Amino acid sequence: MKILSWLGAFALFLAVAAGTSSVLQSRFDATPAATTTALAPVSRTAEGTMGRSTLAPSARPAAQAKPKPKPVAAPIKAAAPRLAAIVVKSTQQALINQDRARYGLRPLTWSSCLANVAYSNAVRMANALRMWHTNGASLDLGCRLGSHGGENIGYWTGGVNDTKLNTMFMNSPEHRANILSPYYHYVGTYWRVASNGTAYIAVEFS
């Protein structure tokens, strides 16, 4: 009777041990599966499935740099032509440029070629003791300073007097037209005192 009781207790022990092993095996098999399932959505989210990248910034698609617009070169302005410096070599020329400035005209610069023509005409008149035109305007064109040429001549019995002659020229329509012509850019003047003290002047334009 004791032997049967002992065998029965041993059988019960084996049954309990087998049940415990089954429960433990079930728990170890379920844990990895549950872990894998729980991480999957996070992994997909990190890969950008939902368009988010907060969990894996390194997985963000590289931003494409926008091409910078090429700098546009500023238009180059054409340089204004440099004007020759104005050379003044006589009082009569200075007065003429003052007259032109009052009317918004550019000053006339000195021309040695025109001054030579003026010299020849002033000497001719002083030697003859009278005033008249010859070929002054034609000789002015020979200086090749432009396509226009002109001449003003005059005299003053009291000797050289630029202010008086300039006033006389400006009061004469024909002489004034030469002084204020927009076609002239050069001038040359010369005074010559005759044997009787009268001074003759020639003013050449081009």
Side-chain angles (χ1 to χ4, degrees):
M1 189 68 182
K2 289 182 179 180
I3 294 173
L4 291 175
S5 176
W6 181 83
L7 290 175
F10 181 75
L12 179 62
F13 172 78
L14 291 176
V16 171
T20 302
S21 176
S22 176
V23 171
L24 291 175
Q25 181 65 35
S26 175
R27 287 183 179 178
F28 278 106
D29 289 343
T31 300
T35 302
T36 303
T37 302
L39 292 177
V42 176
S43 176
R44 286 198 297 271
T45 302
E47 292 174 358
T49 303
M50 300 298 293
R52 295 162 58 189
S53 58
T54 54
L55 296 180
S58 60
R60 179 185 302 178
Q64 295 183 354
K66 295 182 179 179
K68 295 182 179 180
K70 293 183 179 180
V72 180
I76 300 175
K77 295 182 179 180
R82 296 184 61 183
L83 301 176
I86 301 301
V87 178
V88 179
K89 289 193 175 183
S90 77
T91 302
Q92 190 66 207
Q93 178 194 4
L95 294 173
I96 288 170
N97 283 342
Q98 290 177 14
D99 296 332
R100 292 175 65 86
R102 282 195 292 271
Y103 290 88
L105 297 170
R106 290 188 61 241
L108 304 180
T109 194
W110 185 263
S111 166
S112 297
C113 182
L114 294 178
N116 288 336
V117 177
Y119 168 83
S120 298
N121 284 326
V123 169
R124 172 181 52 79
M125 293 187 291
N127 290 342
L129 298 177
R130 68 186 184 94
M131 182 183 70
W132 81 100
H133 287 284
T134 54
N135 60 349
S138 297
L139 294 175
D140 295 340
L141 291 175
C143 291
R144 298 184 178 182
L145 299 172
S147 57
H148 296 80
E151 177 184 71
N152 285 351
I153 57 175
Y155 69 90
W156 189 254
T157 57
V160 175
N161 193 322
D162 282 294
T163 301
K164 292 289 185 181
L165 263 294
N166 176 257
T167 299
M168 292 171 62
F169 287 150
M170 286 296 289
N171 288 336
S172 166
E174 294 82 3
H175 296 83
R176 178 190 177 95
N178 273 339
I179 291 174
L180 301 180
S181 172
Y183 301 110
Y184 297 146
H185 304 284
Y186 300 89
V187 67
T189 71
Y190 195 82
W191 280 97
R192 183 70 169 195
V193 180
S195 57
N196 63 357
T198 299
Y200 293 83
I201 185 173
V203 183
E204 311 295 333
F205 301 89
S206 185

